[in-house]
């Protein structure tokens, strides 16, 4: 947090590559990104919701706005931006009240936050963008590749590999994990759960399609779950074996660990 809210904001600009106008991430920046992403990526989690990642990202945006607003010279525009960005989460209210979401209000908050980021020191906005990318990437384990931010791509790979590392545990540990997932979705009938989870797991290990319009990295590209050579070497085969075994059990109507 000291990196996001430095005592002397002017000092952090010395780490900027002025030729390319982008931040050169230092080790402490990378650590900050991974710690914040770890804390916030499932900060809001409801098994019945399809917007957990978006809601968690919005919570992080509110946190950043409240934390970093002291760095910005106050004026009427800034005050309006901060007020709009930190207003009650529309998604949280809509879920609780069973009301349809308000896209226009959501869009306004997004635009206000983008304006807020533009007023931040480069190191802060770079860290914030990286954390948000990681949070959103955990939804489908895919993200658009931006060649200008190779370090952020690498950090996203690291985080997504860590997020999937549970799949490479021993069969006994994996079965315990699978049983917990079933407990999480106990509101779904057994038959529906077995069918839908098997479909998801088959897509995870079998979908090798890539978009020809946008460069995209996904969890199953090149028939691989993991991106880093070390994770591939240590966990890939065990993870695939675990997934295939669970899929076979689910297709036969049984659940690992139960």
């Amino acid at each position: 947090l000291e990196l996001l809210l430095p005592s002397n904001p002017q000092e952090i600009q010395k780490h900027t590559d002025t030729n390319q106008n982008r931040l050169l991430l230092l080790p402490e920046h990378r650590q900050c990104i991974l710690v914040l992403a770890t804390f916030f990526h499932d900060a809001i989690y409801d098994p019945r919701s399809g917007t957990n990642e978006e809601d968690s990202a919005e919570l992080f945006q509110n946190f950043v706005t409240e934390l970093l607003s002291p760095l910005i010279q106050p004026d009427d525009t800034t005050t309006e931006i901060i007020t709009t960005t930190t207003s009650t989460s529309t998604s949280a209210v809509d879920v609780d009240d069973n009301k349809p979401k308000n896209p226009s209000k959501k869009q306004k908050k997004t635009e206000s936050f983008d304006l807020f980021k533009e007023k931040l020191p480069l190191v802060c906005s770079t860290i914030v963008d990286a954390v948000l990318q990681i949070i959103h990437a955990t939804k489908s384990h895919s993200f658009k590749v931006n060649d200008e931010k190779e370090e952020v791509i690498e950090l996203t790979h690291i985080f997504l590999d860590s997020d999937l590392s549970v799949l490479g545990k021993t069969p006994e540990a994996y079965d315990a994990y699978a049983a917990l997932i079933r407990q999480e979705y106990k509101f779904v009938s057994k038959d529906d759960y077995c069918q839908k989870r098997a479909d998801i797991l088959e897509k995870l290990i079998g979908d090798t399609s890539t978009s020809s319009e946008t460069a995209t990295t996904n969890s199953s590209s090149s028939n691989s779950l993991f991106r880093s050579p070390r994770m591939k070497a240590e966990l890939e085969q065990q993870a695939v074996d675990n997934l295939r075994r669970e899929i076979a059990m689910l297709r036969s109507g049984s659940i690992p660990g139960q």
Side-chain angles (χ1 to χ4, degrees):
L1 296 183
E2 291 178 355
L3 286 170
L4 280 178
L5 190 57
S7 58
N8 185 359
Q10 287 72 32
E11 281 297 305
I12 60 180
Q13 295 298 337
K14 66 184 181 182
H15 300 303
T16 300
D17 180 346
T18 55
N19 292 327
Q20 298 184 38
N21 194 31
R22 67 183 180 92
L23 184 75
L24 300 177
L25 291 177
L26 301 176
E28 53 264 37
H29 299 147
R30 297 163 64 90
Q31 182 181 23
C32 181
I33 290 168
L34 292 175
V35 168
L36 288 171
T38 299
F39 187 85
F40 278 98
H41 86 285
D42 267 340
I44 296 180
Y45 184 76
D46 178 359
R48 297 175 184 266
S49 172
T51 61
N52 289 313
E53 291 79 11
E54 292 85 353
D55 295 341
S56 295
E58 185 175 339
L59 179 65
F60 175 65
Q61 290 177 350
N62 292 344
F63 165 79
V64 166
T65 304
E66 294 177 9
L67 180 71
L68 299 184
S69 55
L71 290 181
I72 299 176
Q73 275 306 106
D75 54 41
D76 292 341
T77 303
T78 303
T79 301
E80 181 181 354
I81 290 172
I82 293 173
T83 301
T84 303
T85 304
T86 57
S87 62
T88 303
S89 168
T90 57
S91 56
V93 172
D94 293 337
V95 170
D96 292 342
D97 296 343
N98 292 317
K99 296 177 181 178
K101 296 189 177 183
N102 187 340
S104 60
K105 188 174 182 180
K106 193 88 168 178
Q107 181 64 27
K108 185 175 181 180
K109 289 189 68 173
T110 300
E111 293 172 354
S112 294
F113 186 73
D114 288 341
L115 291 174
F116 176 79
K117 283 193 304 177
E118 291 177 2
K119 296 176 177 290
L120 294 176
L122 183 58
V123 65
C124 298
S125 60
T126 300
I127 289 174
V128 168
D129 282 339
V131 174
L132 287 172
Q133 173 171 289
I134 291 173
I135 293 173
H136 286 295
T138 60
K139 186 178 185 73
S140 61
H141 275 250
S142 64
F143 62 97
K144 293 181 180 179
V145 172
N146 184 341
D147 292 334
E148 296 181 358
K149 296 183 179 180
E150 294 180 2
E151 293 167 300
V152 175
I153 294 171
E154 180 186 357
L155 289 174
T156 306
H157 285 171
I158 291 172
F159 194 91
L160 295 181
D161 277 0
S162 298
D163 199 38
L164 289 180
S165 63
V166 65
L167 304 180
K169 289 182 175 290
T170 64
E172 295 77 15
Y174 180 89
D175 286 355
Y177 151 78
L180 290 174
I181 297 297
R182 171 53 181 153
Q183 183 65 20
E184 212 171 84
Y185 289 89
K186 60 183 178 181
F187 58 89
V188 179
S189 70
K190 182 179 179 181
D191 288 345
D192 285 346
Y193 176 85
C194 288
Q195 177 182 338
K196 292 179 180 180
R197 179 159 171 82
D199 290 344
I200 291 171
L201 297 185
E202 285 178 344
K203 183 176 181 180
L204 182 64
I205 63 175
D207 182 7
T208 59
S209 63
T210 57
S211 172
S212 58
E213 297 180 357
T214 58
T216 302
T217 301
N218 59 58
S219 59
S220 55
S221 61
S222 302
N223 293 321
S224 179
L225 291 166
F226 300 99
R227 297 159 175 80
S228 69
R230 179 176 177 180
M231 294 289 271
K232 287 180 183 179
E234 295 184 2
L235 299 179
E236 182 80 21
Q237 189 57 56
Q238 183 62 61
V240 171
D241 290 346
N242 284 333
L243 291 170
R244 286 176 175 165
R245 181 168 54 83
E246 182 179 3
I247 291 169
M249 293 180 68
L250 292 168
R251 291 303 186 198
S252 66
S254 58
I255 297 171
Q258 294 189 354

